Amino acid sequence: MLKIYNTLTRKKEVFKPRVEGKVGLYVCGMTVYDYCHIGHARVMVIFDTVARYFRYSGYDLTYVRNVTDIDDKIIQRANENGEDFLALTERFIDAMHEDERALSVLPPDIEPKATQSMDNIISMIEVLITKSLAYVGTNGDVFYSVSKFDGYGKLSGKKLEDLQAGERVDVDKAKKDPMDFVLWKMAKPDEPSWNSPWGQGRPGWHIECSAMSTCCLGNHFDIHGGGMDLQFPHHENEIAQSEGATGETFVNLWMHNGFVRIDEEKMSKSLGNFFTVREVLKKYRPEVIRFFVLSSQYRSPLNYSDEQLGDAGVALTRLYTALRGVEIPSVSCDIDYKLRFKEAMDDDFNTPIAFSVLFDLARELNSIKSDKEKAGQLAATLKELASTLGLLQEDPEVFLKGGEASDGLSEDDINQKIQNRVEAKNNKDWVKADEIRDQLKEKGIVLEDIAGGSTSWRREKA
RNA sequence: GGCUGCGUAGCAAAAUGGUUAUGCAGUGGCCUGCAAAGCCAUCUACACCAGUUCGAUUCUGGUCGCAGCCUCCA
């Protein structure tokens, strides 16, 4: 029985799809004017894991994640670069896809772009104006009249009268009410623009998600996700727009993931304290980053540090070491471990507990490795369960020998040295044998003698 | 100021009204020529103060501390 924490009710709820066996999931994706940072990676990995688990649990899932490819920052960056905004966004969409593939994030089923959804956006605004929920301001921009929407604040728990609009930013004088937000923004000369009943312009940020989500999944769908910071105003505004326009409930369940932090502070572009995925990929292997992201529950904060990434590498090495040398038959999962794993994931995607099941499994696997049949079944179980987390899909030897190959040694070099050491060992020349082992160790290559005389090796730095 | 959420051992991170989380690190043992890996055992906890209870880290109230949102942000 899958339970998910719903931001709307601030409780874990038993998940009940609108249509038996089917799930519609929409996640707010990236604004593509720069490379993805680790905070973005967390969203991608978390919802990828959610998607994988829904499918593993037998649901027919439609996973939609949008791309915001037009907004003020994109225009600004394109101007700074002297680049067409489409060229800019195309570059960063490609980069984003590259980062995703590195992190074993499977592509969403639908990836709508704001610039390709103009008709839907415009018709939704028209409906809102018809219903008097929106108006054209004194500067020609179209605004949503927040006070006309009854449920405003139900997601973020805010009351209109408590909000301090204009406290931190100047209030736009074109609005009737400081809390009103823009739906359609008139273009300045030379800005990218689309034709609309209100003139050449572009959509406000919030309306695109209302248009794209309802367009792809229907007026009323199961789950909407995104980062914590989108709760207000973005998702609150989406509710106002969608429910205002359609008159139907917009979303049953809202999922929000916690932030990645640096030194106990939110990682964000505006604070400038971020690491891009590609920077981090230079230091750590992709699977280590994925493991790190899933090592805390998705709603908890995740502190980024080299120590933690290092730990993640060691932990992952332990799991791969358990799989090493075990032939994996095509047998069904060990039912006890599978049940424990599912129980963990069913409890609001509790990946830390799911990990603990994998480690228990690895321990038992290590202790019964001589029993080939049992070991094979446990290894098969470990691989199957880990696959729903997008982990442990590499060949163990490839993973363990991969690592950082800055040692300048080829596999042949290493094997030659191991051979020399085997000869020394056979001659009981322990000094020479240890010398060879120490030399390799200095280069980050760890030797492991296996009972029976052979020696395996791995690169220390995962 | 308003609204969220959090405070767990050396580090990271979960669950739980009474019983082993888990990973890394430490200690002791087994294995090994010695190691490494692995296995077994083991030491470090639940911010503080009240209350409820036979019993609270877990529930309630308060205090202190931290983070986030109330501008753009995953």
Side-chain angles (χ1 to χ4, degrees):
Chain A
M1 201 167 54
L2 175 60
K3 284 184 176 171
I4 306 176
Y5 184 89
N6 187 353
T7 307
L8 209 50
T9 56
R10 314 260 165 203
K11 283 198 295 261
K12 280 184 203 170
E13 292 174 0
V14 175
F15 176 67
K16 223 175 153 290
R18 293 181 54 250
V19 179
E20 184 67 34
K22 286 185 187 259
V23 184
L25 169 66
Y26 182 92
V27 173
C28 287
M30 262 42 83
T31 301
V32 282
Y33 67 95
D34 207 340
Y35 292 113
C36 294
H37 60 58
I38 293 299
H40 300 122
R42 192 176 189 197
V43 181
M44 300 193 291
V45 167
I46 282 170
F47 286 102
D48 176 60
T49 303
V50 166
R52 285 170 186 258
Y53 189 66
F54 268 122
R55 297 210 162 99
Y56 184 69
S57 302
Y59 288 97
D60 176 12
L61 170 76
T62 307
Y63 175 24
V64 182
R65 195 192 56 210
N66 77 296
V67 174
T68 297
D69 61 346
I70 180 67
D71 90 324
D72 292 1
K73 287 193 174 164
I74 290 171
I75 293 170
Q76 193 191 333
R77 183 65 59 91
N79 285 341
E80 285 165 15
N81 294 354
E83 184 178 21
D84 184 75
F85 89 101
L86 282 170
L88 176 89
T89 54
E90 195 183 319
R91 266 196 306 129
F92 286 115
I93 289 171
D94 288 347
M96 175 182 82
H97 287 151
E98 227 174 84
D99 291 342
E100 281 184 84
R101 282 192 293 272
L103 296 172
S104 300
V105 169
L106 302 171
D109 298 297
I110 311 175
E111 194 175 63
K113 295 188 180 80
T115 55
Q116 290 169 4
S117 311
M118 286 303 158
D119 292 348
N120 292 311
I121 290 170
I122 288 166
S123 57
M124 190 173 248
I125 298 173
E126 282 182 310
V127 172
L128 290 170
I129 291 178
T130 309
K131 291 191 168 185
S132 299
L133 287 164
Y135 61 92
V136 178
T138 54
N139 62 353
D141 290 356
V142 182
F143 295 99
Y144 191 101
S145 194
V146 165
S147 61
K148 298 248 178 79
F149 183 73
D150 268 351
Y152 199 79
K154 66 181 171 186
L155 177 67
S156 55
K158 295 181 191 305
K159 294 191 190 85
L160 226 41
E161 57 268 30
D162 292 338
L163 291 167
Q164 300 185 7
E167 183 81 353
R168 287 156 68 197
V169 75
D170 285 341
V171 173
D172 189 335
K173 290 184 185 66
K175 299 178 186 177
K176 288 182 185 166
D177 184 301
M179 286 317 302
D180 293 348
F181 58 91
V182 71
L183 296 170
W184 190 262
K185 203 166 177 163
M186 300 307 284
K188 297 194 190 86
D190 298 327
E191 279 183 350
S193 65
W194 289 260
N195 202 12
S196 83
W198 317 284
Q200 291 290 118
R202 63 177 181 275
W205 173 41
H206 314 293
I207 192 71
E208 63 172 75
C209 279
S210 281
M212 289 187 271
S213 59
T214 52
C215 169
C216 296
L217 295 169
N219 291 346
H220 179 190
F221 59 91
D222 297 294
I223 304 175
H224 190 131
M228 296 266 290
D229 48 358
L230 299 184
Q231 240 172 73
F232 189 91
H234 185 55
H235 290 161
E236 200 70 71
N237 291 353
E238 274 189 60
I239 294 174
Q241 292 162 343
S242 301
E243 299 197 347
T246 68
E248 295 177 50
T249 299
F250 178 40
V251 168
N252 283 352
L253 199 154
W254 288 86
M255 285 178 76
H256 292 100
N257 66 276
F259 297 126
V260 176
R261 296 194 204 167
I262 303 261
D263 296 329
E264 301 305 314
E265 194 175 46
K266 175 185 175 183
M267 177 186 285
S268 77
K269 288 189 186 171
S270 29
L271 288 169
N273 62 345
F274 62 90
F275 293 97
T276 63
V277 172
R278 43 201 60 209
E279 273 176 293
V280 178
L281 278 170
K282 284 185 193 145
K283 283 171 82 178
Y284 303 98
R285 306 175 67 183
E287 195 172 351
V288 170
I289 299 171
R290 187 166 175 119
F291 186 98
F292 162 70
V293 165
L294 294 174
S295 65
S296 82
Q297 210 268 349
Y298 75 89
R299 285 186 287 121
S300 303
L302 176 64
N303 214 53
Y304 178 93
S305 73
D306 284 325
E307 195 189 352
Q308 286 219 57
L309 266 296
D311 278 358
V314 177
L316 196 54
T317 298
R318 178 172 160 78
L319 294 177
Y320 268 117
T321 303
L323 287 174
R324 189 177 219 182
V326 183
E327 240 182 86
I328 296 179
S330 50
V331 292
S332 56
C333 246
D334 180 286
I335 194 70
D336 291 333
Y337 283 110
K338 182 171 173 170
L339 279 175
R340 283 179 60 200
F341 182 87
K342 281 186 71 71
E343 203 182 327
M345 291 298 283
D346 277 347
D347 186 12
D348 198 24
F349 309 99
N350 197 325
T351 49
I353 299 258
F355 276 12
S356 78
V357 176
L358 299 187
F359 283 106
D360 286 349
L361 188 44
R363 185 184 307 111
E364 186 177 352
L365 172 54
N366 281 329
S367 58
I368 52 97
K369 259 192 176 164
S370 52
D371 179 347
K372 290 244 185 315
E373 198 183 324
K374 184 71 185 153
Q377 202 213 358
L378 290 179
T381 306
L382 182 53
K383 268 201 96 144
E384 178 178 322
L385 298 180
S387 77
T388 76
L389 303 171
L391 295 170
L392 298 185
Q393 299 309 294
E394 249 190 279
D395 179 87
E397 289 297 332
V398 172
F399 179 87
L400 294 167
K401 291 182 174 165
E404 201 169 290
S406 58
D407 43 63
L409 290 172
S410 70
E411 291 213 8
D412 285 347
D413 294 338
I414 294 164
N415 287 330
Q416 183 56 51
K417 283 180 194 291
I418 288 175
Q419 195 47 48
N420 295 344
R421 182 165 164 274
V422 168
E423 282 162 26
K425 277 175 58 169
N426 288 341
N427 296 330
K428 300 222 187 291
D429 184 352
W430 309 126
V431 175
K432 187 170 180 199
D434 290 354
E435 200 178 277
I436 294 171
R437 188 171 61 199
D438 292 345
Q439 280 171 0
L440 285 170
K441 168 86 177 161
E442 254 175 58
K443 301 214 169 194
I445 298 197
V446 184
L447 298 191
E448 287 161 8
D449 290 340
I450 299 166
S454 65
T455 298
S456 67
W457 63 274
R458 66 186 161 90
R459 286 203 163 84
E460 198 168 29
K461 195 156 181 249

